[in-house]
Amino acid sequence: MLTSPDQRATYEVDWTGRFRGHTPAVVRPASTDELVAIIDACRRTHVAIVPQGGNTGLVGGGVPLGDEIVVSLRRLTTVGAVDTSARQVTVGAGVTLADVQNLAAAAGLRYAVDLSARDSATIGGMIATNAGGINMIRYGGTREQVIGVEAVLGSGQIVSRLGGLLKDNTGYHFPSLLCGSEGTLGIVTAARLRLVTQHAHRATALVAFRTVVDAVAAVSMWRSHLDTLEAAELFLDAGLQLVCRAFDLSPPFTSPWPVYVLVEAADHVDPTEALGRAVEASSGMADVAVAGDEKGRRALWRYREDHTLAINTLGPPHKLDVTLPIDRLAEFMKVVPKAVSEVDRAAQTWLFGHVGDGNIHVNITGVGRDDERTDERVLTYVCELGGSISAEHGIGTAKKQWLHLNRSPAELSAMRAIKVALDPVNILNPNVLFA
Ligand code: FAD
Ligand code: 2HG
Ligand code: ZN
Protein backbone atom coordinates (compact mmCIF):
# COMPACT_ATOMS: atom_id res chain seq x y z
CA MET A 1 0.00 0.00 0.00
CA LEU A 2 1.42 3.38 -1.06
CA THR A 3 0.33 6.40 0.96
CA SER A 4 2.97 9.11 0.72
CA PRO A 5 2.26 11.93 -1.77
CA ASP A 6 5.39 11.09 -3.81
CA GLN A 7 4.41 7.46 -4.21
CA ARG A 8 0.80 8.29 -5.06
CA ALA A 9 1.52 11.09 -7.52
CA THR A 10 1.64 9.17 -10.83
CA TYR A 11 -1.50 7.21 -9.95
CA GLU A 12 -3.49 10.41 -9.38
CA VAL A 13 -3.18 11.99 -12.82
CA ASP A 14 -4.09 10.62 -16.21
CA TRP A 15 -1.81 10.27 -19.25
CA THR A 16 -2.93 13.58 -20.79
CA GLY A 17 -2.67 15.62 -17.58
CA ARG A 18 -6.30 16.75 -17.96
CA PHE A 19 -7.75 14.57 -15.20
CA ARG A 20 -6.14 15.03 -11.81
CA GLY A 21 -7.51 13.63 -8.57
CA HIS A 22 -6.53 12.53 -5.10
CA THR A 23 -6.38 9.16 -3.39
CA PRO A 24 -5.78 8.31 0.27
CA ALA A 25 -3.91 5.16 -0.81
CA VAL A 26 -2.79 3.03 -3.72
CA VAL A 27 -3.27 -0.65 -2.96
CA ARG A 28 -1.32 -3.15 -5.03
CA PRO A 29 -2.52 -6.76 -4.66
CA ALA A 30 -0.20 -9.51 -5.86
CA SER A 31 -2.87 -12.21 -6.12
CA THR A 32 -6.60 -12.73 -6.67
CA ASP A 33 -7.00 -13.65 -2.98
CA GLU A 34 -5.41 -10.36 -1.89
CA LEU A 35 -7.80 -8.54 -4.22
CA VAL A 36 -10.80 -10.36 -2.72
CA ALA A 37 -9.65 -9.21 0.74
CA ILE A 38 -9.40 -5.61 -0.48
CA ILE A 39 -12.86 -5.72 -2.05
CA ASP A 40 -14.38 -7.28 1.07
CA ALA A 41 -12.85 -4.56 3.26
CA CYS A 42 -14.12 -1.85 0.91
CA ARG A 43 -17.61 -3.36 0.83
CA ARG A 44 -17.76 -3.45 4.63
CA THR A 45 -16.57 0.15 4.98
CA HIS A 46 -18.22 1.56 1.82
CA VAL A 47 -14.90 2.76 0.43
CA ALA A 48 -14.95 3.33 -3.33
CA ILE A 49 -12.27 1.88 -5.62
CA VAL A 50 -10.75 2.95 -8.93
CA PRO A 51 -9.06 -0.03 -10.60
CA GLN A 52 -5.93 0.98 -12.51
CA GLY A 53 -3.67 -0.83 -14.95
CA GLY A 54 -1.14 1.03 -17.09
CA ASN A 55 -2.96 4.38 -16.62
CA THR A 56 -2.98 5.05 -20.37
CA GLY A 57 -6.77 5.42 -20.54
CA LEU A 58 -7.94 8.62 -22.21
CA VAL A 59 -11.38 9.23 -20.66
CA GLY A 60 -10.51 9.90 -17.02
CA GLY A 61 -11.80 6.48 -15.92
CA GLY A 62 -8.67 5.16 -14.18
CA VAL A 63 -7.83 8.04 -11.86
CA PRO A 64 -9.37 8.84 -8.45
CA LEU A 65 -11.46 11.92 -9.20
CA GLY A 66 -13.73 11.32 -6.19
CA ASP A 67 -11.11 10.46 -3.53
CA GLU A 68 -11.45 6.72 -4.21
CA ILE A 69 -8.63 4.36 -3.31
CA VAL A 70 -6.66 3.20 -6.33
CA VAL A 71 -6.29 -0.55 -6.76
CA SER A 72 -3.35 -1.04 -9.09
CA LEU A 73 -3.32 -4.40 -10.88
CA ARG A 74 0.19 -4.07 -12.22
CA ARG A 75 1.59 -6.74 -9.91
CA LEU A 76 -0.63 -9.42 -11.48
CA THR A 77 1.98 -10.41 -14.03
CA THR A 78 1.81 -14.20 -14.14
CA VAL A 79 2.06 -15.61 -17.65
CA GLY A 80 1.17 -19.15 -18.65
CA ALA A 81 2.78 -21.23 -21.39
CA VAL A 82 1.54 -20.49 -24.91
CA ASP A 83 -0.65 -23.36 -26.10
CA THR A 84 0.42 -23.44 -29.75
CA SER A 85 -2.12 -26.04 -30.84
CA ALA A 86 -5.08 -24.21 -29.31
CA ARG A 87 -3.40 -20.86 -30.12
CA GLN A 88 -4.17 -19.46 -26.69
CA VAL A 89 -2.39 -18.10 -23.64
CA THR A 90 -3.46 -17.16 -20.10
CA VAL A 91 -1.97 -13.99 -18.61
CA GLY A 92 -2.43 -11.89 -15.48
CA ALA A 93 -4.33 -8.62 -15.79
CA GLY A 94 -1.19 -6.55 -15.14
CA VAL A 95 0.79 -7.96 -18.07
CA THR A 96 1.45 -5.26 -20.65
CA LEU A 97 0.34 -5.51 -24.24
CA ALA A 98 3.99 -5.47 -25.39
CA ASP A 99 4.78 -8.43 -23.13
CA VAL A 100 1.85 -10.41 -24.57
CA GLN A 101 2.99 -9.53 -28.08
CA ASN A 102 6.54 -10.72 -27.30
CA LEU A 103 5.27 -13.89 -25.66
CA ALA A 104 3.14 -14.71 -28.71
CA ALA A 105 5.96 -13.88 -31.15
CA ALA A 106 8.37 -16.18 -29.31
CA ALA A 107 5.89 -19.00 -29.96
CA GLY A 108 5.54 -18.07 -33.66
CA LEU A 109 2.15 -16.46 -33.13
CA ARG A 110 0.72 -13.00 -32.65
CA TYR A 111 -1.70 -11.14 -30.36
CA ALA A 112 -4.16 -9.44 -32.70
CA VAL A 113 -4.78 -6.12 -30.92
CA ASP A 114 -2.11 -3.47 -31.23
CA LEU A 115 -1.92 0.17 -30.13
CA SER A 116 0.87 2.63 -29.56
CA ALA A 117 0.56 2.62 -25.74
CA ARG A 118 1.67 -1.04 -25.95
CA ASP A 119 4.57 -0.68 -23.47
CA SER A 120 2.29 0.47 -20.64
CA ALA A 121 -1.31 -0.58 -21.38
CA THR A 122 -2.23 -3.77 -19.51
CA ILE A 123 -4.45 -6.64 -20.58
CA GLY A 124 -6.84 -5.88 -17.67
CA GLY A 125 -7.18 -2.25 -18.75
CA MET A 126 -7.61 -3.27 -22.39
CA ILE A 127 -10.41 -5.66 -21.44
CA ALA A 128 -12.05 -3.03 -19.23
CA THR A 129 -12.04 -0.53 -22.11
CA ASN A 130 -12.53 -3.11 -24.89
CA ALA A 131 -9.55 -1.48 -26.63
CA GLY A 132 -9.67 -1.32 -30.42
CA GLY A 133 -6.40 -0.18 -31.96
CA ILE A 134 -4.86 -0.35 -35.40
CA ASN A 135 -5.70 -3.88 -36.57
CA MET A 136 -9.42 -3.92 -35.85
CA ILE A 137 -10.36 -4.20 -39.54
CA ARG A 138 -8.75 -7.62 -39.80
CA TYR A 139 -9.11 -9.20 -36.36
CA GLY A 140 -11.72 -7.26 -34.40
CA GLY A 141 -11.06 -5.57 -31.06
CA THR A 142 -10.29 -6.87 -27.58
CA ARG A 143 -13.69 -8.52 -27.10
CA GLU A 144 -12.98 -10.79 -30.09
CA GLN A 145 -9.71 -11.98 -28.51
CA VAL A 146 -10.88 -12.76 -24.98
CA ILE A 147 -11.88 -16.41 -24.68
CA GLY A 148 -12.10 -16.43 -20.88
CA VAL A 149 -11.64 -14.16 -17.88
CA GLU A 150 -11.12 -14.33 -14.17
CA ALA A 151 -12.51 -11.38 -12.23
CA VAL A 152 -13.50 -10.38 -8.74
CA LEU A 153 -16.96 -8.83 -8.88
CA GLY A 154 -18.10 -5.92 -6.73
CA SER A 155 -19.99 -8.51 -4.66
CA GLY A 156 -16.62 -10.02 -3.71
CA GLN A 157 -17.31 -13.23 -5.69
CA ILE A 158 -14.73 -14.63 -8.08
CA VAL A 159 -15.88 -15.61 -11.58
CA SER A 160 -13.30 -17.68 -13.41
CA ARG A 161 -13.55 -19.33 -16.84
CA LEU A 162 -10.03 -19.79 -18.12
CA GLY A 163 -10.46 -23.31 -19.57
CA GLY A 164 -10.14 -22.07 -23.15
CA LEU A 165 -13.29 -23.68 -24.60
CA LEU A 166 -14.08 -21.93 -27.86
CA LYS A 167 -17.67 -23.14 -27.83
CA ASP A 168 -19.42 -22.73 -24.50
CA ASN A 169 -23.07 -21.68 -24.68
CA THR A 170 -23.96 -22.14 -21.04
CA GLY A 171 -25.68 -18.86 -20.31
CA TYR A 172 -24.37 -15.33 -19.90
CA HIS A 173 -20.89 -14.79 -21.34
CA PHE A 174 -18.79 -13.01 -18.71
CA PRO A 175 -15.85 -12.20 -21.02
CA SER A 176 -18.20 -10.24 -23.31
CA LEU A 177 -19.87 -8.52 -20.37
CA LEU A 178 -16.61 -7.49 -18.74
CA CYS A 179 -15.12 -6.24 -22.03
CA GLY A 180 -15.98 -2.55 -22.06
CA SER A 181 -17.40 -2.52 -18.51
CA GLU A 182 -14.69 0.02 -17.49
CA GLY A 183 -14.08 -1.41 -14.05
CA THR A 184 -17.69 -0.87 -12.95
CA LEU A 185 -18.74 -4.54 -12.54
CA GLY A 186 -15.63 -6.45 -11.59
CA ILE A 187 -11.86 -6.25 -11.46
CA VAL A 188 -10.22 -8.47 -14.05
CA THR A 189 -7.34 -10.52 -12.63
CA ALA A 190 -6.49 -12.81 -15.58
CA ALA A 191 -7.55 -13.60 -19.13
CA ARG A 192 -7.37 -16.42 -21.64
CA LEU A 193 -6.46 -14.83 -24.97
CA ARG A 194 -6.80 -15.97 -28.56
CA LEU A 195 -3.61 -15.76 -30.65
CA VAL A 196 -3.47 -15.49 -34.44
CA THR A 197 -1.07 -16.27 -37.28
CA GLN A 198 2.17 -14.33 -37.42
CA HIS A 199 2.58 -13.57 -41.13
CA ALA A 200 6.09 -13.67 -42.53
CA HIS A 201 5.60 -10.76 -44.93
CA ARG A 202 4.32 -7.27 -44.40
CA ALA A 203 3.93 -4.30 -46.76
CA THR A 204 3.46 -0.75 -45.53
CA ALA A 205 2.79 2.42 -47.51
CA LEU A 206 1.84 6.01 -46.81
CA VAL A 207 -0.60 7.23 -49.46
CA ALA A 208 -1.31 10.93 -49.98
CA PHE A 209 -4.72 12.07 -51.21
CA ARG A 210 -6.18 15.34 -52.45
CA THR A 211 -9.42 15.02 -50.47
CA VAL A 212 -10.88 13.12 -47.52
CA VAL A 213 -13.66 11.87 -49.83
CA ASP A 214 -11.03 10.22 -52.06
CA ALA A 215 -9.19 8.75 -49.07
CA VAL A 216 -12.34 7.23 -47.56
CA ALA A 217 -13.41 5.79 -50.94
CA ALA A 218 -9.94 4.30 -51.47
CA VAL A 219 -9.96 2.59 -48.07
CA SER A 220 -13.38 1.03 -48.78
CA MET A 221 -12.08 -0.23 -52.13
CA TRP A 222 -8.89 -1.66 -50.55
CA ARG A 223 -10.96 -3.41 -47.90
CA SER A 224 -13.06 -5.21 -50.48
CA HIS A 225 -10.07 -6.20 -52.65
CA LEU A 226 -7.41 -7.08 -50.09
CA ASP A 227 -8.15 -9.80 -47.53
CA THR A 228 -4.65 -9.22 -46.20
CA LEU A 229 -5.34 -5.59 -45.18
CA GLU A 230 -4.47 -5.06 -41.51
CA ALA A 231 -4.48 -1.30 -41.00
CA ALA A 232 -5.78 1.84 -42.69
CA GLU A 233 -4.99 4.93 -40.61
CA LEU A 234 -5.85 8.47 -41.66
CA PHE A 235 -4.32 11.80 -40.70
CA LEU A 236 -4.28 15.32 -42.09
CA ASP A 237 -1.45 17.61 -43.09
CA ALA A 238 -1.78 19.82 -39.99
CA GLY A 239 -1.27 16.75 -37.78
CA LEU A 240 1.69 15.56 -39.84
CA GLN A 241 3.34 18.98 -39.57
CA LEU A 242 2.76 19.04 -35.81
CA VAL A 243 4.37 15.58 -35.41
CA CYS A 244 7.34 16.62 -37.58
CA ARG A 245 7.82 19.83 -35.56
CA ALA A 246 7.43 18.12 -32.18
CA PHE A 247 9.90 15.32 -32.91
CA ASP A 248 12.14 16.97 -35.48
CA LEU A 249 11.21 14.53 -38.25
CA SER A 250 11.53 15.15 -42.00
CA PRO A 251 8.21 15.05 -43.83
CA PRO A 252 7.54 11.95 -45.95
CA PHE A 253 6.90 13.83 -49.23
CA THR A 254 8.63 16.75 -50.93
CA SER A 255 5.34 18.65 -51.11
CA PRO A 256 2.51 18.46 -48.59
CA TRP A 257 -0.90 16.94 -49.41
CA PRO A 258 -4.17 17.49 -47.55
CA VAL A 259 -4.78 13.89 -46.42
CA TYR A 260 -2.68 10.78 -45.75
CA VAL A 261 -3.59 7.14 -45.22
CA LEU A 262 -1.10 4.71 -43.74
CA VAL A 263 -1.91 1.28 -45.09
CA GLU A 264 -0.48 -2.09 -44.11
CA ALA A 265 -1.04 -5.65 -45.39
CA ALA A 266 0.42 -8.92 -44.09
CA ASP A 267 0.49 -12.38 -45.63
CA HIS A 268 2.45 -15.64 -45.97
CA VAL A 269 3.74 -14.36 -49.34
CA ASP A 270 4.92 -10.80 -50.00
CA PRO A 271 1.77 -8.62 -50.29
CA THR A 272 3.66 -5.61 -51.75
CA GLU A 273 2.54 -6.12 -55.34
CA ALA A 274 -1.11 -6.68 -54.48
CA LEU A 275 -1.10 -3.65 -52.19
CA GLY A 276 0.63 -1.57 -54.87
CA ARG A 277 -2.01 -2.51 -57.46
CA ALA A 278 -4.82 -1.59 -55.07
CA VAL A 279 -3.19 1.74 -54.19
CA GLU A 280 -2.58 2.64 -57.83
CA ALA A 281 -6.21 1.99 -58.66
CA SER A 282 -7.36 4.63 -56.13
CA SER A 283 -8.75 7.83 -57.57
CA GLY A 284 -7.48 11.09 -56.12
CA MET A 285 -4.20 9.45 -55.04
CA ALA A 286 -1.47 12.12 -55.14
CA ASP A 287 1.72 10.39 -53.98
CA VAL A 288 2.91 7.28 -52.19
CA ALA A 289 5.86 6.37 -49.95
CA VAL A 290 6.59 2.66 -49.51
CA ALA A 291 8.55 1.21 -46.60
CA GLY A 292 11.46 -0.88 -47.90
CA ASP A 293 12.30 -2.57 -44.60
CA GLU A 294 11.39 -2.65 -40.89
CA LYS A 295 13.25 0.62 -40.24
CA GLY A 296 11.30 2.33 -43.03
CA ARG A 297 8.07 0.82 -41.75
CA ARG A 298 8.66 2.17 -38.25
CA ALA A 299 9.48 5.59 -39.69
CA LEU A 300 6.15 5.70 -41.56
CA TRP A 301 4.22 4.55 -38.47
CA ARG A 302 5.76 7.35 -36.38
CA TYR A 303 3.93 9.96 -38.47
CA ARG A 304 0.65 8.37 -37.36
CA GLU A 305 1.37 6.98 -33.90
CA ASP A 306 3.11 10.11 -32.59
CA HIS A 307 -0.02 12.25 -33.06
CA THR A 308 -1.12 11.62 -29.45
CA LEU A 309 2.26 12.62 -28.01
CA ALA A 310 2.60 15.63 -30.32
CA ILE A 311 -0.86 16.98 -29.48
CA ASN A 312 -0.06 16.70 -25.76
CA THR A 313 2.83 19.15 -26.24
CA LEU A 314 0.13 21.82 -26.81
CA GLY A 315 -1.38 21.28 -23.35
CA PRO A 316 -4.00 18.81 -22.15
CA PRO A 317 -6.42 18.23 -25.05
CA HIS A 318 -10.10 17.33 -24.97
CA LYS A 319 -10.25 13.88 -26.57
CA LEU A 320 -13.38 12.74 -28.32
CA ASP A 321 -13.08 9.30 -29.81
CA VAL A 322 -16.02 8.71 -32.13
CA THR A 323 -17.27 6.36 -34.86
CA LEU A 324 -19.31 7.44 -37.84
CA PRO A 325 -21.10 5.43 -40.48
CA ILE A 326 -18.52 5.26 -43.31
CA ASP A 327 -20.74 7.22 -45.71
CA ARG A 328 -20.92 10.18 -43.27
CA LEU A 329 -17.22 10.25 -42.36
CA ALA A 330 -16.00 12.76 -44.95
CA GLU A 331 -18.90 15.13 -44.24
CA PHE A 332 -18.17 14.90 -40.51
CA MET A 333 -14.48 15.72 -41.00
CA LYS A 334 -15.37 18.74 -43.11
CA VAL A 335 -17.97 20.16 -40.73
CA VAL A 336 -16.40 19.47 -37.32
CA PRO A 337 -13.49 21.98 -37.34
CA LYS A 338 -15.88 24.78 -38.37
CA ALA A 339 -18.48 23.75 -35.81
CA VAL A 340 -15.81 23.74 -33.07
CA SER A 341 -14.46 27.17 -33.95
CA GLU A 342 -17.97 28.60 -34.08
CA VAL A 343 -18.30 27.58 -30.42
CA ASP A 344 -14.81 28.77 -29.40
CA ARG A 345 -12.61 30.75 -31.79
CA ALA A 346 -9.48 29.85 -29.83
CA ALA A 347 -10.09 26.12 -30.23
CA GLN A 348 -8.07 24.04 -32.66
CA THR A 349 -9.31 20.69 -33.95
CA TRP A 350 -7.08 17.74 -34.82
CA LEU A 351 -8.56 14.80 -36.72
CA PHE A 352 -6.97 11.40 -37.24
CA GLY A 353 -7.73 7.76 -36.64
CA HIS A 354 -8.70 4.32 -37.72
CA VAL A 355 -10.51 5.22 -40.93
CA GLY A 356 -11.00 1.59 -41.95
CA ASP A 357 -13.52 1.05 -39.16
CA GLY A 358 -15.02 4.57 -39.18
CA ASN A 359 -13.26 5.65 -35.96
CA ILE A 360 -12.00 9.25 -35.94
CA HIS A 361 -10.17 10.77 -32.99
CA VAL A 362 -11.25 14.38 -32.53
CA ASN A 363 -8.73 16.19 -30.35
CA ILE A 364 -9.45 19.77 -29.37
CA THR A 365 -6.71 22.04 -28.02
CA GLY A 366 -6.78 25.63 -26.83
CA VAL A 367 -9.92 25.23 -24.72
CA GLY A 368 -10.16 25.37 -20.93
CA ARG A 369 -9.78 22.10 -19.06
CA ASP A 370 -13.39 22.19 -17.81
CA ASP A 371 -14.99 24.07 -20.68
CA GLU A 372 -17.11 21.37 -22.32
CA ARG A 373 -18.99 23.45 -24.90
CA THR A 374 -16.96 22.16 -27.85
CA ASP A 375 -17.25 18.55 -26.61
CA GLU A 376 -21.02 18.93 -26.45
CA ARG A 377 -21.17 20.35 -29.98
CA VAL A 378 -19.09 17.53 -31.49
CA LEU A 379 -20.82 14.69 -29.65
CA THR A 380 -24.30 15.99 -30.48
CA TYR A 381 -23.31 16.21 -34.13
CA VAL A 382 -21.89 12.65 -34.06
CA CYS A 383 -25.23 11.35 -32.84
CA GLU A 384 -27.16 13.35 -35.44
CA LEU A 385 -25.13 11.49 -38.08
CA GLY A 386 -25.86 8.09 -36.51
CA GLY A 387 -22.44 7.65 -34.89
CA SER A 388 -21.16 6.61 -31.47
CA ILE A 389 -19.64 8.96 -28.87
CA SER A 390 -17.10 6.29 -27.95
CA ALA A 391 -15.48 4.09 -30.54
CA GLU A 392 -12.76 2.51 -28.41
CA HIS A 393 -11.64 4.55 -25.38
CA GLY A 394 -14.86 4.17 -23.39
CA ILE A 395 -17.08 6.67 -21.61
CA GLY A 396 -15.08 7.09 -18.37
CA THR A 397 -15.86 10.24 -16.44
CA ALA A 398 -15.19 12.45 -19.47
CA LYS A 399 -18.26 11.49 -21.49
CA LYS A 400 -20.72 10.11 -18.94
CA GLN A 401 -23.03 13.13 -19.14
CA TRP A 402 -23.57 12.36 -22.85
CA LEU A 403 -24.16 8.58 -22.65
CA HIS A 404 -27.92 9.20 -23.04
CA LEU A 405 -27.25 10.51 -26.56
CA ASN A 406 -26.37 6.96 -27.62
CA ARG A 407 -28.31 4.77 -25.21
CA SER A 408 -32.09 4.56 -24.79
CA PRO A 409 -33.74 4.82 -21.33
CA ALA A 410 -34.44 1.07 -21.54
CA GLU A 411 -30.77 0.29 -22.25
CA LEU A 412 -29.57 2.59 -19.48
CA SER A 413 -31.94 1.01 -17.02
CA ALA A 414 -30.80 -2.52 -17.99
CA MET A 415 -27.18 -1.42 -17.62
CA ARG A 416 -27.88 0.02 -14.17
CA ALA A 417 -29.63 -3.20 -13.15
CA ILE A 418 -26.52 -5.21 -14.13
CA LYS A 419 -24.33 -2.78 -12.19
CA VAL A 420 -26.48 -3.12 -9.05
CA ALA A 421 -26.53 -6.92 -9.32
CA LEU A 422 -22.75 -7.31 -9.63
CA ASP A 423 -21.65 -4.37 -7.48
CA PRO A 424 -24.46 -4.02 -4.90
CA VAL A 425 -22.63 -1.54 -2.63
CA ASN A 426 -21.49 0.58 -5.61
CA ILE A 427 -17.81 0.52 -4.74
CA LEU A 428 -16.35 -0.14 -8.20
CA ASN A 429 -15.67 2.99 -10.23
CA PRO A 430 -18.80 4.81 -9.01
CA ASN A 431 -17.82 7.94 -10.99
CA VAL A 432 -17.49 6.16 -14.32
CA LEU A 433 -19.98 5.46 -17.14
CA PHE A 434 -23.21 6.62 -15.46
CA ALA A 435 -24.00 10.30 -14.96
P1 FAD B 1 -6.03 2.16 -17.35
O1 FAD B 1 -5.82 3.46 -18.04
O2 FAD B 1 -5.26 1.92 -16.13
O3 FAD B 1 -7.59 2.00 -17.06
C1 FAD B 1 -8.55 2.16 -18.04
C2 FAD B 1 -9.94 1.79 -17.49
O4 FAD B 1 -9.98 0.41 -17.17
C3 FAD B 1 -10.29 2.52 -16.21
O5 FAD B 1 -11.68 2.73 -16.18
C4 FAD B 1 -9.88 1.53 -15.11
O6 FAD B 1 -10.61 1.73 -13.93
C5 FAD B 1 -10.19 0.20 -15.77
N1 FAD B 1 -9.31 -0.90 -15.40
C6 FAD B 1 -7.95 -0.96 -15.51
N2 FAD B 1 -7.51 -2.19 -15.17
C7 FAD B 1 -8.60 -2.92 -14.84
C8 FAD B 1 -8.80 -4.27 -14.41
N3 FAD B 1 -7.79 -5.12 -14.26
N4 FAD B 1 -10.07 -4.68 -14.16
C9 FAD B 1 -11.12 -3.83 -14.30
N5 FAD B 1 -10.99 -2.56 -14.70
C10 FAD B 1 -9.74 -2.11 -14.98
N6 FAD B 1 -7.04 2.79 -26.94
C11 FAD B 1 -7.58 2.12 -27.98
O7 FAD B 1 -8.63 1.50 -27.84
N7 FAD B 1 -6.97 2.12 -29.22
C12 FAD B 1 -5.82 2.78 -29.45
O8 FAD B 1 -5.31 2.77 -30.57
C13 FAD B 1 -5.21 3.47 -28.35
N8 FAD B 1 -4.02 4.11 -28.50
C14 FAD B 1 -3.49 4.81 -27.46
C15 FAD B 1 -2.28 5.48 -27.65
C16 FAD B 1 -1.73 6.21 -26.61
C17 FAD B 1 -0.41 6.92 -26.83
C18 FAD B 1 -2.38 6.27 -25.36
C19 FAD B 1 -1.80 7.04 -24.22
C20 FAD B 1 -3.57 5.60 -25.17
C21 FAD B 1 -4.14 4.87 -26.22
N9 FAD B 1 -5.34 4.17 -26.05
C22 FAD B 1 -5.88 3.46 -27.10
C23 FAD B 1 -6.05 4.21 -24.77
C24 FAD B 1 -5.54 3.17 -23.74
O9 FAD B 1 -4.28 2.72 -24.05
C25 FAD B 1 -6.50 1.99 -23.68
O10 FAD B 1 -7.74 2.45 -23.21
C26 FAD B 1 -6.02 0.85 -22.78
O11 FAD B 1 -6.91 -0.21 -22.93
C27 FAD B 1 -5.91 1.23 -21.31
O12 FAD B 1 -5.19 0.22 -20.63
P2 FAD B 1 -4.54 0.56 -19.20
O13 FAD B 1 -3.96 -0.70 -18.65
O14 FAD B 1 -3.61 1.68 -19.33
O15 FAD B 1 -5.83 0.97 -18.39
C1 2HG C 1 -4.79 6.32 -31.28
O1 2HG C 1 -5.49 5.79 -32.14
C2 2HG C 1 -5.28 6.35 -29.87
O2 2HG C 1 -3.67 6.77 -31.53
C3 2HG C 1 -5.20 7.71 -29.21
O3 2HG C 1 -6.55 5.80 -29.76
C4 2HG C 1 -6.10 8.71 -29.85
O4 2HG C 1 -4.88 10.55 -28.97
C5 2HG C 1 -5.98 10.13 -29.31
O5 2HG C 1 -7.00 10.82 -29.29
ZN1 ZN D 1 -7.29 4.97 -31.57
Side-chain angles (χ1 to χ4, degrees):
M1 181 146 83
L2 313 175
T3 52
S4 78
D6 280 4
Q7 292 173 318
R8 294 184 333 240
T10 59
Y11 297 86
E12 292 178 322
V13 60
D14 82 317
W15 191 93
T16 65
R18 180 174 172 212
F19 300 100
R20 193 174 285 279
H22 166 266
T23 184
V26 179
V27 191
R28 304 170 68 233
S31 68
T32 303
D33 287 345
E34 287 185 9
L35 179 61
V36 170
I38 293 163
I39 291 195
D40 280 346
C42 289
R43 284 172 56 232
R44 279 197 308 274
T45 50
H46 289 225
V47 168
I49 292 172
V50 171
Q52 192 181 94
N55 199 11
T56 65
L58 297 173
V59 288
V63 282
L65 300 178
D67 283 340
E68 301 91 341
I69 64 159
V70 172
V71 173
S72 168
L73 288 313
R74 273 187 249 170
R75 289 178 71 204
L76 301 182
T77 51
T78 310
V79 293
V82 174
D83 180 338
T84 48
S85 52
R87 296 179 147 214
Q88 297 176 5
V89 67
T90 300
V91 299
V95 175
T96 63
L97 170 59
D99 283 344
V100 173
Q101 290 172 335
N102 292 336
L103 196 71
L109 292 165
R110 179 161 172 233
Y111 183 58
V113 178
D114 192 15
L115 44 88
S116 66
R118 54 186 76 81
D119 290 330
S120 307
T122 63
I123 290 299
M126 292 179 68
I127 291 173
T129 58
N130 189 27
I134 54 182
N135 297 141
M136 181 99 188
I137 49 175
R138 188 167 196 180
Y139 303 106
T142 298
R143 186 173 280 127
E144 284 73 30
Q145 322 308 323
V146 182
I147 295 164
V149 285
E150 179 185 88
V152 184
L153 303 178
S155 60
Q157 288 169 307
I158 301 173
V159 288
S160 184
R161 289 188 87 73
L162 299 172
L165 294 180
L166 282 182
K167 298 184 97 173
D168 181 15
N169 282 354
T170 52
Y172 304 142
H173 192 239
F174 289 116
S176 301
L177 182 62
L178 288 163
C179 277
S181 62
E182 301 191 45
T184 60
L185 303 178
I187 301 189
V188 176
T189 53
R192 182 83 178 164
L193 303 175
R194 172 173 90 112
L195 302 176
V196 297
T197 300
Q198 187 181 47
H199 294 106
H201 299 275
R202 198 161 276 276
T204 311
L206 184 63
V207 189
F209 287 92
R210 292 186 173 83
T211 67
V212 173
V213 173
D214 288 332
V216 172
V219 172
S220 295
M221 188 264 281
W222 301 338
R223 286 200 72 188
S224 51
H225 286 81
L226 285 173
D227 286 342
T228 57
L229 196 69
E230 296 222 341
E233 297 285 315
L234 178 146
F235 50 93
L236 303 178
D237 193 53
L240 174 68
Q241 286 183 30
L242 178 70
V243 168
C244 290
R245 271 199 312 278
F247 303 110
D248 204 14
L249 303 179
S250 313
F253 300 109
T254 42
S255 53
W257 297 101
V259 193
Y260 306 93
V261 178
L262 182 55
V263 60
E264 188 158 277
D267 201 356
H268 295 297
V269 291
D270 189 352
T272 307
E273 241 182 80
L275 181 64
R277 274 196 305 275
V279 167
E280 271 168 27
S282 324
S283 67
M285 198 260 283
D287 207 344
V288 57
V290 180
D293 53 18
E294 183 57 24
K295 193 169 159 229
R297 175 180 173 265
R298 282 182 191 284
L300 290 185
W301 269 105
R302 277 202 73 182
Y303 296 125
R304 161 61 181 91
E305 289 199 329
D306 285 0
H307 269 64
T308 305
L309 284 162
I311 290 167
N312 241 47
T313 63
L314 305 176
H318 287 225
K319 286 188 177 287
L320 304 169
D321 138 64
V322 303
T323 338
L324 279 306
I326 297 288
D327 59 352
R328 309 306 293 269
L329 205 61
E331 173 189 354
F332 173 79
M333 291 184 64
K334 190 171 167 198
V335 170
V336 149
K338 288 187 209 144
V340 166
S341 42
E342 272 164 26
V343 174
D344 185 342
R345 287 178 59 191
Q348 194 168 5
T349 305
W350 307 89
L351 300 173
F352 59 100
H354 316 285
V355 62
D357 54 48
N359 175 189
I360 292 297
H361 295 304
V362 181
N363 279 218
I364 304 172
T365 54
V367 293
R369 212 176 278 251
D370 301 320
D371 180 348
E372 292 183 320
R373 290 173 302 148
T374 53
D375 308 51
E376 167 105 12
R377 180 72 186 89
V378 174
L379 297 180
T380 309
Y381 180 48
V382 165
C383 294
E384 281 164 20
L385 296 183
S388 164
I389 65 167
S390 174
E392 57 174 11
H393 296 163
I395 296 295
T397 53
K399 287 188 268 182
K400 62 182 182 178
Q401 59 168 308
W402 295 293
L403 184 59
H404 69 94
L405 293 176
N406 269 143
R407 294 296 202 151
S408 68
E411 284 177 312
L412 287 172
S413 133
M415 283 164 65
R416 281 184 193 279
I418 295 170
K419 166 78 171 157
V420 171
L422 302 192
D423 179 23
V425 193
N426 195 25
I427 52 167
L428 293 185
N429 255 351
N431 288 311
V432 163
L433 195 55
F434 300 107

